[in-house]
Amino acid sequence: MEPTSVTAPEGQAPGVRPLDGHERARLGARAAEAARRLAGQGLVAVALTWVDVSGITRTKTVPVERLEHAAAWGVGMSPVFDVFLLDDSIVSGRHIGGPVGDLRLHPDLDRLVPLAALPGWAHAPAHRYAQDGTVHPLDTRALLRREIDRLAGDGWTVKAAFEIEWAVSKGEGDEFSPACKGPAYGMTRVTELAGYLRDVLKALRETGVTVVQLHPEYAAGQYEVSVAAEDPVGAADTAVLVRETIRAVTLEHGMAASFSPKVEADAVGNGAHVHLSLWREGAADGPANAMTGGGGPCGMTAAGEAFTAGILRRLPALLAVGAPSVASYLRLIPSHWAGAFACWGLENREAALRFVTGAEGERATAANLEVKCVDGAANPYLLLAALLAAGRDGLGTGLTLPEPVGTDPAGLAEEERAARGIAALPASLGEAVAAFEADTVLRDALGEAVTDTVSAVRRGEIALLDGATPQQVAAATRWRH
């Protein structure tokens, strides 16, 4: 069930319609039909998932025969999961915390799919409601839908996709031992794990994920998969589905997959880069890509430039949701293609924002913005909501971009960087949280409950890992996301 967009009363943000008796009956009837289909395919259980503020995918599961009840009335869960840290310890915020209260998880039936990598299981991302049927303020899927609706109100849509990087270990226990020995980007790595990679691609295809490419990456045992762009909620759903599919196939092959920003303290980390393109609805020839076909920098339209500039302006604050772990800042260092400077550039893999035009002749569909400074510890729904809010602010204020950076910013003299307005991004989670708390645009867009909870969880992780060495931080984070 894709959430139903509604026109909000004056003074309220658009969002998702509360559940009433008619909607519950409709959902129950749809779920009963879906349950019969799943049972006929031999499936026995459905995993209802959500992603918490720490970026960990949590779940409640129901037998297939209980799917109808779950769709109509939800599955109970405690609100306190929103303040879990990566080690499952719990903090409290001003809006969330403690053992009291209950939410209801309702499966999104439009995203209900059998899990090819987990025979007998299906998956559905969950909407989170209060018991009275109103949307929970920490439901980040609903938060993202609200940002999509706000852009749609001005005639804009966004296409998005995540690149997923992971490292494969053949070791037992918590230590990391690379499962392949070939050189970075080398065909040797494909040959070494050809059967495993074949099964990853097969499982993704059978789960309905459109894979664009898969390749070995730079770090030991590291790979990356890119998937087709889709609407932002779908892109975040797919990011969760891809990771859980990879995790399951890896375990089936007797190995383990790490999506951590820093698998080993002295190695390159895993990113989870976001690709975004802004589209104008209602154009004469169909939706038009605002990232190309204009007279702005690198062929952007004025709107594409403003959207990009809005994200660039808010990058320090955005890191609190996009690079949300202490381990993130072991990855986010200069000259490692992580995007450690707040700048943009055409095909510049050292810029935090890499602008991609695509090949000549394909630019109308391919031109997009890649956000490189974010990683797999992020809640993908929350991250996309914040990125869209920043881009929307850029559109509303008509921001323009500075000159693109065509080199590694770390190689420029400090005086030149200062003259060009190229600033280093926060070097610690604490710096990113301070920028986030001071950013009124993101606070207004995300809401007080979300911003307060994000800050509480981030400060909890900072305290949890205070005094830890880089090796200890990497070990504490390695298998959590």
Side-chain angles (χ1 to χ4, degrees), residues 281-297:
E281 289 294 329
D285 298 324
N289 187 356
M291 313 309 283
T292 190

Side-chain angles (χ1 to χ4, degrees), residues 274 276 300 305 307-315 318 338-356 368-374 387 401 404-405 425:
V274 180
L276 298 169
M300 298 182 205
E305 179 183 5
F307 183 80
T308 302
I311 293 173
L312 178 61
R313 172 177 283 190
R314 317 227 89 80
L315 277 178
L318 286 165
F341 287 88
C343 62
W344 78 282
L346 175 63
E347 298 291 4
N348 187 347
R349 288 172 171 82
E350 277 295 343
L353 301 183
R354 170 192 172 216
F355 188 70
V356 182
N368 71 90
L369 177 70
E370 180 185 21
V371 184
K372 293 186 60 66
C373 52
V374 297
L387 287 169
L401 286 166
V405 176
L425 287 172

Side-chain angles (χ1 to χ4, degrees), residues 71 120 167 196 208 238 254 257 291 464 471 476:
Y196 162 69
T238 295
M291 313 309 283
L464 176 71
Q471 291 76 16

Side-chain angles (χ1 to χ4, degrees), residues 342-431:
C343 62
W344 78 282
L346 175 63
E347 298 291 4
N348 187 347
R349 288 172 171 82
E350 277 295 343
L353 301 183
R354 170 192 172 216
F355 188 70
V356 182
T357 61
E360 187 71 43
E362 194 184 25
R363 292 177 178 176
T365 56
N368 71 90
L369 177 70
E370 180 185 21
V371 184
K372 293 186 60 66
C373 52
V374 297
D375 61 57
N379 175 323
Y381 306 98
L382 180 58
L383 172 55
L384 283 175
L387 287 169
L388 296 194
R392 180 170 56 83
D393 181 70
L395 284 168
T397 53
L399 290 181
T400 58
L401 286 166
E403 289 297 313
V405 176
T407 188
D408 181 353
L412 300 175
E414 186 174 345
E415 294 79 8
E416 183 176 354
R417 288 200 300 267
R420 297 179 61 177
I422 303 170
L425 287 172
S428 70
L429 183 55
E431 292 178 29

